[in-house]
Every structure is written in structure tokens, then in C-alpha cells.
Amino acid sequence: MNNRQLFLSHLAQTTDFPLLIEIEKAEGVYMYGPDGKKYLDLISGIGVSNVGHRHPKVLAAIQEQLDKYLHLMVYGEYVQSPQVKLAKALTDTLPSQLDNVYLVNSGSEAVEGALKLAKRYTNRREIISCINAYHGSSHGSLSVGGNEIFKRAYRPLLPGIRNIVYGAFHHLDKITNDTAAVIIETIQGEAGIRVACKEYFQALRKRCNETGTLLILDEIQAGFGRTGKFWAFEHFDIEPDILVCAKGMGGGMPIGAFIANKEVMGVFKNNPLLGHITTFGGHPVSAAASLATIQVIQKENLLDQVEEKAALFKKLLVHPIIKGIRNKGLMMAVEFESFGVLKPIIDRAINKGVITDWFLFCDDSMRIAPPLIISHTEIEEACRMILEAIEGV
Ligand SMILES: Cc1ncc(COP(=O)(O)O)c(C=O)c1O
């Protein structure tokens, strides 16, 4: 059997229509099939490869760690240099009250940890999340997801979850003294890139302060430079109580984190102790890769380039059937009339050699979230192929 047949026979399938693209090697913004076909990756493996595929600095950090040790012990017992250096570097990017990092394996686990932490710290049970939010696929993170179609089959989920509409001021009074936490994506990703205004975030922060509710910002897609700031909340002049990140954090390696104040995080130590347990959380190789990723974003001035690169996409992607482009930095959604119009364009674009996608809860819009290292020439090449794909449909 060839790899494609093995994939279909022995790897669990989650749809009847997987992309089935086979990749043999990836470098920078490009991925290469075994037949030599070259693909320009405009989605970064869904928001992961912010510093590109196999960034040499990330590879060097991984190699260096490989020569020292792999897994040593479950999380939180041994002093492991890659973990502590990463925690220090992460907190250096953050406001001073976010000074304590819990390293995990994935975005969903980071959300789980954040929800548990908020319940323990506030001793409250109610959690508020947004309609059309995506926070992950485990039971807890799915419970705070905002799309009933994805949740229905898995009920009962966590009790005490209430939904508000992202950006809607008049829903903020649903946050009360009973609310442990509000969890919200700073920029809604799977809803098709929705950006609330600064006044909304400030009103949300104020309401959380008034009610003693913890504000959890999910920056699993929007963090690590994707929007042109290291953290997306920097656009809105607010600070979360708990920040969750993953995806782009590992430079291509699996890792996530939830970050809070040391006093808040301290509740995990007692009654019961070991408030969150993880075997592989903050794996030393992933932690080393993540530290290198932070350094690449900073040293290569990737943040400063995001706006102009996004502007170039917007300038080039002009066509009568494109209805508009929503974006915050290089987190972009190109809107078409319907999924029926968009899907053949995505398929043709893949044939031409550029990979885009749609969104879980917004299937009329094309996902564009390229590696932040993408060059102007590569943006021109990508947009030319997308426009050709549109013309060819
Ligand atoms: C905003 C957001 N939160 C959480 C998650 C879950 O992350 P993971 O797939 O690493 O569990 C995702 C994944 O797409 C996400 O986009």
C-alpha cells in the first residue's frame, strides 16, 4: 500500500473529504510533495508556523536540546533549563502581573488548565464564553465553544456555561458576581476573523473587575505575533487575568501555556495539591523550540512587518467576486458569496500550488494566515495564483 492508502486505511479519519496532500519536506513558506510539487503555505498548518517551516534557529535549538535530554519527569518537579528559560522569556513579553507560566501540550489543555484555575481561584462555577468561539476539542474546552452543532453530540458537557455575543456591549451585564471567568478569543478565529473594538474590551475588563470575574484571553491563534503585536490584547490596552497560548508558540513543535499571576496560580498547590497534572507538558525539546521562536520573532523584527504584508494582500486581492477582507494583521478572512463559490477556488488554488482554507464556523470566507516571514515576492506569487484560481472557476 502507498502512503495515501495507509492514511485512509489505518489513520483515524475525521471527515470523508480530507485534503490528502502528501508532503515530504517543508522549508520557509513552502511545502514539497514526493512528486516534487511545491505548495506555498498560506495557512501555516492552521496558525502554527509563524516563523516558517523549519526555521534554522528553531532547528538549532532543537538539535542542541536533543544532545542533552528528552523527557525526564512529569511537569513541575525537576528544574529543566529549557522550561525555566522559556517561562522567563514569555513573562518578559507580558505585563508584570502575568508572571507565572504553566506549560502544557496543546491549546485545548491550556484552556482546560485556565478554566480549572479560574474555578479554583474564585470558588465559583459559572463560566461565560462567546457564540461562535472555538477553544478546543476536549470536553472542557468544547463546553465553552460557541457552536451548538459541534457540541450537541457530546452532551452532557460542563454545566454552568453561558454564552454572550462577542463584541456586544449589552451582553456584558450577564457577567455577575457568580461568574468565575469570561473566556474570549481576543480576535475570534474560527468565526471568520472578527475583531471587537477597543471600547468593548475596556468595558469587558471593567465589568470583570466589578464582579471579581477572571478574564481569560485565548490567544492560541492570535498570539505570537500573528496580529502585528506579540500579543493581540496589546491592541486594546487591556490585560487579561489568565492568558492562554499554543500553536505558533512552538515554532512547529507541540506546546501550550496558561499564564497568570503567581498568587492566582498558587491555588493549584493546595486542597488538593497537584491542581493540574501533565506528563509531557512543557517537553524540553518543545520548550527549547519555543524559546528560539520568541527570539526569532524579536530579532528578525517580524512584528514590524505584519501590517505592510497584510496591506499588500489587501491591495492585490481585488476581484469583483471578493466581497471584502477582514483582518487583524496577518490573521485574514477573504469573504465570498458562499461556500459554493469559495470551495472550488480553494481547490483550484491548491492545484496551482497555494494552500488556503475556510473557517470552522464561517465557510464563505478564505483563511489566510501565512508564516510571518513571507516575503513581498511570495505574497505577490500567492495572490497571483489565488486570482488565477478565481478566474478559472
Ligand atoms: C482560538 C483557539 N483556541 C484553542 C484551540 C485549541 O488548540 P489545540 O488544537 O492545540 O488543542 C484552537 C485551535 O484551533 C484555537 O484556534
Side-chain angles (χ1 to χ4, degrees):
M1 279 204 266
N2 64 27
N3 281 350
R4 188 174 287 219
Q5 290 162 332
L6 288 170
F7 175 96
L8 291 170
S9 304
H10 295 298
L11 214 56
Q13 305 292 304
T14 52
T15 74
D16 284 323
F17 40 88
L19 284 168
L20 275 179
I21 298 168
E22 191 174 347
I23 300 298
E24 203 169 63
K25 190 173 159 80
E27 190 98 56
V29 298
Y30 291 106
M31 304 189 295
Y32 303 88
D35 49 2
K37 190 162 169 55
K38 183 174 163 188
Y39 301 93
L40 207 166
D41 182 4
L42 274 197
I43 54 173
S44 307
I46 312 293
V48 169
S49 317
N50 289 12
V51 297
H53 294 275
R54 299 178 69 248
H55 191 288
K57 292 270 169 22
V58 175
L59 295 189
I62 291 172
Q63 189 59 58
E64 202 185 323
Q65 186 54 38
L66 289 182
D67 292 339
K68 293 180 180 156
Y69 53 84
L70 302 180
H71 176 80
L72 297 179
M73 180 55 174
V74 298
Y75 178 83
E77 298 296 334
Y78 292 176
V79 179
Q80 301 184 38
S81 162
Q83 293 184 343
V84 295
K85 284 188 183 151
L86 173 59
K88 170 76 171 79
L90 276 170
T91 55
D92 283 348
T93 67
L94 285 164
S96 58
Q97 57 102 10
L98 290 167
D99 62 358
N100 212 248
V101 180
Y102 194 124
L103 296 170
V104 292
N105 293 285
S106 68
S108 296
E109 192 190 358
V111 169
E112 295 291 336
L115 296 177
K116 286 168 70 184
L117 184 61
K119 284 167 82 171
R120 284 293 306 284
Y121 185 74
T122 60
N123 210 14
R124 301 175 184 175
R125 295 291 164 265
E126 179 185 275
I127 308 230
I128 292 190
S129 64
C130 292
I131 306 283
N132 279 340
Y134 184 74
H135 296 293
S137 195
S138 58
H139 265 98
S141 60
L142 184 63
S143 301
V144 289
N147 188 289
E148 198 45 40
I149 294 165
F150 281 84
K151 290 163 75 168
R152 193 172 297 133
Y154 299 100
R155 292 198 182 280
L157 291 167
L158 275 182
I161 310 295
R162 303 184 74 195
N163 283 154
I164 56 174
V165 170
Y166 175 88
F169 286 84
H170 65 286
H171 280 188
L172 293 179
D173 60 9
K174 291 195 183 183
I175 305 165
T176 69
N177 290 341
D178 292 329
T179 315
V182 173
I183 180 164
I184 185 166
E185 293 161 274
T186 315
I187 312 296
Q188 275 199 323
E190 296 310 316
I193 314 302
R194 312 286 163 177
V195 192
C197 63
K198 189 169 176 173
E199 292 72 28
Y200 174 77
F201 279 106
Q202 294 189 343
L204 170 64
R205 178 68 272 182
K206 185 162 169 274
R207 184 70 190 147
C208 288
N209 290 349
E210 284 163 4
T211 54
T213 301
L214 297 187
L215 176 59
I216 305 173
L217 289 183
D218 178 341
E219 298 223 356
I220 288 165
Q221 274 194 49
F224 272 76
R226 172 64 48 203
T227 69
K229 303 266 189 203
F230 197 93
W231 302 107
F233 68 78
E234 294 170 41
H235 293 285
F236 305 112
D237 281 343
I238 52 148
E239 294 176 11
D241 298 299
I242 307 177
L243 177 68
V244 288
C245 56
K247 285 195 181 272
M249 177 181 178
M253 294 292 283
I255 190 164
F258 56 103
I259 305 172
N261 185 259
K262 195 168 195 307
E263 188 241 336
V264 175
M265 202 71 92
V267 298
F268 274 163
K269 291 195 286 185
N270 297 302
N271 299 321
L273 75 178
L274 298 169
H276 187 72
I277 300 177
T278 179
T279 297
F280 287 123
H283 190 282
V285 179
S286 296
S290 180
L291 177 62
T293 301
I294 295 175
Q295 289 164 350
V296 168
I297 292 172
Q298 290 169 340
K299 291 199 179 128
E300 295 187 11
N301 290 325
L302 294 182
L303 302 180
D304 295 344
Q305 302 163 28
V306 166
E307 255 329 302
E308 67 187 56
K309 288 177 181 176
L312 184 56
F313 271 108
K314 286 169 103 169
K315 183 176 142 207
L316 295 174
L317 286 179
V318 176
H319 190 277
I321 70 161
I322 293 179
K323 295 180 70 185
I325 299 183
R326 295 181 298 275
N327 81 301
K328 193 74 184 168
L330 285 170
M331 204 173 168
M332 314 183 83
V334 184
E335 187 180 336
F336 292 83
E337 184 67 40
S338 63
F339 185 62
V341 173
L342 173 60
K343 180 67 168 64
I345 296 170
I346 290 177
D347 292 343
R348 282 186 69 91
I350 290 175
N351 275 336
K352 289 186 174 296
V354 62
I355 298 190
T356 63
D357 194 11
W358 61 96
F359 297 90
L360 265 182
F361 313 139
C362 178
D363 65 9
D364 65 7
S365 296
M366 176 187 275
R367 181 198 303 270
I368 295 187
L372 309 181
I373 55 152
I374 192 169
S375 69
H376 285 217
T377 317
E378 288 157 350
I379 294 173
E380 281 158 12
E381 183 192 353
C383 292
R384 180 183 49 74
M385 286 192 277
I386 292 171
L387 290 173
E388 282 172 14
I390 292 175
E391 284 299 326
V393 170

